[in-house]
Amino acid sequence: MPDYLFAEAFTLWGSPATWLEIAAVVIALIMVWCNIREIHWAWPLAIVSSLMYFAIFWRSKLYGDASLQIFF
């Protein structure tokens, strides 16, 4: 993945948030909204969000959390 996706977007309570992290959160929230409304787009959004979180956790060397994303 390009390095600019892992660039710091802002800091919240002393913890930096990356652009990829923000995109993953937004996609996950849209996925939940689609699930509530029973819209079929929830499944592809869940896959994309999980892959994004996998990349975030892997890059942060949180290999256990990254491997959990495979099951999600």
Side-chain angles (χ1 to χ4, degrees):
M1 295 200 117
D3 284 335
Y4 63 85
L5 291 176
F6 294 99
E8 183 179 330
F10 60 89
T11 302
L12 185 63
W13 294 302
S15 182
T18 65
W19 291 108
L20 185 63
E21 201 171 355
I22 294 168
V25 168
V26 169
I27 290 173
L29 290 173
I30 294 170
M31 180 265 305
V32 169
W33 182 82
C34 287
N35 275 329
I36 291 170
R37 302 275 188 270
E38 297 180 7
I39 299 171
H40 70 278
W41 279 103
W43 284 95
L45 291 174
I47 292 169
V48 169
S49 176
S50 291
L51 289 173
M52 292 171 124
Y53 278 117
F54 177 85
I56 292 166
F57 291 141
W58 191 266
R59 179 142 175 157
S60 299
K61 295 183 173 61
L62 297 170
Y63 302 118
D65 289 329
S67 63
L68 281 175
Q69 296 306 310
I70 295 169
F71 295 104
F72 292 140

